[in-house]
Amino acid sequence: MMDNILHIVPYTAQHGQFILSQQMNHKVLEADRHYINVDGDAKNLVQDHLAFTGIVNHEPIFAAGMKMIWGQVAEGWVIATSEMWKHPLGVAKAIKKDFARVAKENNIARVQSAIRKDFKEGLRFAEWLGLEKEGLMRKWGFDGSDQYMYARLF
C-alpha cells in the first residue's frame, strides 16, 4: 500500500546508490551525471549523524547532509531524484529543520556548498537555508561550469 508520506531516516550508502542511479532532479544538473560514480560517491557521503534520507513509498527521493572536510568545516550536500518535485515543501522543510541542528550537535562552525551558477532553484534554496554567497568560482564544476560558493557560519 502506498502512503505517499515523507519519512526521514538516517542516510545509508544504499539510499545514495538508488538516488544517484536515477535521473537527476533538474535538467541543469544533467551535465554532472557523466561524472558521478554511483557506488563510490554514495559511500563517500556516509558519516555518522551527519546525513539523512527522505523516503516516500519505500523509495529514497532525496538525501542531504554534511561531510567533514577539516577541523570544524563541513561541505553541505543534497542529492535527489525527480520524484522530490512531487513533495517540494516537505523536502525543503525536512532539510531546513535538520540543517542547523546537525551543525550545532556536531560542533560545526562553517558549512559550505558550491552551487552551479545556472541552477537558479539551488541558489534560492541555499539562501533560504541561510547560506550567504561568498563568490564565483570560475570553471570549478565537473564540466567546467562556473559555481558560486555559499557558506553559513555557526
Side-chain angles (χ1 to χ4, degrees):
M1 183 167 136
M2 304 291 213
D3 62 9
N4 291 320
I5 296 172
L6 179 63
H7 300 277
I8 305 301
V9 299
Y11 174 82
T12 69
Q14 292 78 21
H15 297 155
Q17 290 165 343
F18 178 82
I19 293 166
L20 292 173
S21 70
Q22 303 298 304
Q23 69 276 16
M24 301 302 280
N25 68 30
H26 194 283
K27 64 183 178 181
V28 170
L29 301 177
E30 281 298 322
D32 293 344
R33 184 171 193 73
H34 305 292
Y35 303 94
I36 294 172
N37 173 321
V38 172
D39 291 337
D41 290 346
K43 290 176 186 170
N44 186 40
L45 296 174
V46 175
Q47 279 193 340
D48 289 341
H49 311 293
L50 291 180
F52 55 94
T53 303
I55 296 178
V56 174
N57 298 327
H58 308 290
E59 286 192 352
I61 64 167
F62 84 93
M66 299 174 198
K67 180 80 176 168
M68 297 306 299
I69 51 180
W70 59 75
Q72 294 177 295
V73 178
E75 190 79 19
W77 57 269
V78 175
I79 55 175
T81 71
S82 61
E83 289 295 306
M84 76 108 193
W85 292 112
K86 293 179 181 176
H87 310 273
L89 193 55
V91 169
K93 284 182 175 182
I95 293 170
K96 188 169 189 170
K97 176 185 170 201
D98 284 330
F99 181 74
R101 179 191 59 77
V102 167
K104 290 175 183 173
E105 285 178 2
N106 291 280
N107 200 30
I108 295 170
R110 174 188 170 91
V111 178
Q112 63 185 38
S113 188
I115 303 165
R116 291 179 65 94
K117 179 182 175 182
D118 55 351
F119 186 29
K120 303 300 182 203
E121 291 88 346
L123 298 171
R124 278 196 326 263
F125 185 62
E127 290 172 2
W128 183 72
L129 288 176
L131 282 81
E132 295 180 16
K133 187 187 301 183
E134 292 188 324
L136 181 65
M137 301 182 298
R138 292 186 173 90
K139 298 193 181 293
W140 195 85
F142 294 124
D143 62 343
S145 61
D146 293 346
Q147 301 202 5
Y148 285 108
M149 176 59 76
Y150 275 79
R152 180 169 169 184
L153 304 179
F154 292 93

